[in-house]
Amino acid sequence: MSTQWRVHAVKYAERNARTRGDSFIFDDHPSAEHGMDYFVWLLDNGAQKIVVDTGYDAGEADRRDRPILRDPVTALAALDVHPEDIDTVIITHLHYDHAGGLDRYPNATFHVQAAEMAYATGPCMCHGVLQMPFTADHVCEMVRHVYSGRVVFHDGSGAVAPGVRVHCVGGHSRGLQVVEVETAQGPLCLASDATHYYENYLLAKPFPIVADLEPMLEGFGTIQRLALGPDRVIPGHDPLVTQLYPQHDSVPFAWRLDVGPCRSVRDSIR
């Protein structure tokens, strides 16, 4: 099995009624508009396909008044990904927009950090402000998968497949993990919400939804070390991803990440 993976970002939602104050602590222009894109990610080495995060569906969109453009499963189907054929799903953390639809993958094993499960089911969830990004049904679905023997817990760093490793960084959520992926162009880091935007990690500007601030700040350095530089770090929600990476030939809502950005990431945020 090849240890070099092709990586795609697949966009399923966007939310543009936001401001920079929603994205950065202590921003100089907090009332300026600042949009957010929502992605799931696909790893493909020719022999295996791995889904990273499962997004959220129309029911969750209605409950939170955050409409989706397309169901994440339908979006992945455009890349010839069918949920019953997927045997490995990495969940970076259990927030609603990353861990909805866990029941859509009937034959998958789910990879999650033990710290994230403990956080999402522990006393911290007695506080509304910490509970807000989670949906109880999603967490309970993961608990059911634990009881059916379909969850692999990681404690820090661990291998998922040849050329794919996860690393716990915390910060945004207690057990948030990032994904290190080997590609033909070198290592890539799917940072998920370790950095929502390029600006978060490049300018050390924390995102306001945070469980632990120090690990979030330390994580900005970790993701760059894993990727051997800023141009190989993929943030979790930045619309710039759709401008910096080549669009899929036949799927207009998918972008090829492993080939690298078309220009310097640092130059793009200046």
Side-chain angles (χ1 to χ4, degrees):
M1 182 181 295
S2 173
T3 60
Q4 295 184 343
W5 297 78
R6 296 182 298 276
V7 186
H8 282 92
V10 183
K11 178 179 171 179
Y12 68 91
E14 62 187 19
R15 190 156 59 96
N16 296 317
R18 302 176 71 260
T19 67
R20 289 182 62 84
D22 296 322
S23 302
F24 310 107
I25 297 175
F26 306 129
D27 190 71
D28 291 337
H29 307 283
S31 60
E33 293 182 358
H34 200 249
M36 172 177 277
D37 283 356
Y38 293 76
F39 302 96
V40 294
W41 298 275
L42 174 65
L43 314 182
D44 184 352
N45 70 356
Q48 183 183 15
K49 295 177 180 178
I50 296 175
V51 171
V52 179
D53 289 345
T54 54
Y56 65 97
D57 60 14
E60 187 72 13
D62 291 341
R63 285 189 291 273
R64 291 186 181 258
D65 192 25
R66 296 182 177 181
I68 57 174
L69 299 170
R70 55 194 65 87
D71 185 280
V73 168
T74 302
L76 286 167
L79 292 171
D80 196 29
V81 177
H82 306 288
E84 64 274 11
D85 297 330
I86 296 297
D87 61 13
T88 303
V89 175
I90 299 171
I91 298 297
T92 63
H93 59 305
L94 288 168
H95 285 180
Y96 80 94
D97 53 325
H98 295 261
L102 296 176
D103 59 341
R104 309 285 289 279
Y105 295 87
N107 301 309
T109 295
F110 297 88
H111 291 255
V112 67
Q113 289 286 327
E116 183 69 357
M117 182 63 84
Y119 180 58
T121 58
C124 286
M125 294 301 103
C126 296
H127 302 286
V129 69
L130 297 177
Q131 183 190 106
M132 180 273 295
F134 295 90
T135 292
D137 285 346
H138 300 164
V139 177
C140 290
E141 186 67 38
M142 188 62 87
V143 171
R144 282 191 286 271
H145 290 328
V146 172
Y147 274 73
S148 63
R150 294 174 55 201
V151 175
V152 174
F153 285 109
H154 295 274
D155 184 11
S157 297
V160 174
V164 180
R165 292 181 59 83
V166 293
H167 305 271
C168 187
V169 297
H172 175 64
S173 188
R174 188 67 51 80
L176 171 67
Q177 61 184 355
V178 301
V179 187
E180 177 189 6
V181 186
E182 289 295 332
T183 77
Q185 289 74 32
L188 173 152
C189 180
L190 288 177
S192 183
D193 289 2
T195 184
H196 286 64
Y197 296 89
Y198 288 107
E199 283 186 70
N200 290 126
Y201 75 93
L202 287 174
L203 303 180
K205 296 170 66 173
F207 192 80
I209 297 176
V210 55
D212 304 289
L213 187 54
E214 183 181 6
M216 178 181 281
L217 292 168
E218 293 293 332
F220 294 158
T222 299
I223 58 179
Q224 294 185 75
R225 288 192 295 274
L226 291 172
L228 302 183
D231 284 343
R232 303 287 292 176
V233 172
I234 311 299
H237 291 276
D238 201 327
L240 263 177
V241 168
T242 68
Q243 301 172 33
L244 291 174
Y245 293 86
Q247 194 173 51
H248 190 280
D249 290 340
S250 59
V251 181
F253 46 83
W255 289 264
R256 180 81 177 266
L257 305 177
D258 55 287
V259 296
C262 62
R263 61 182 184 275
S264 165
V265 167
R266 289 188 184 276
D267 291 344
S268 300
I269 66 168
R270 289 173 182 166

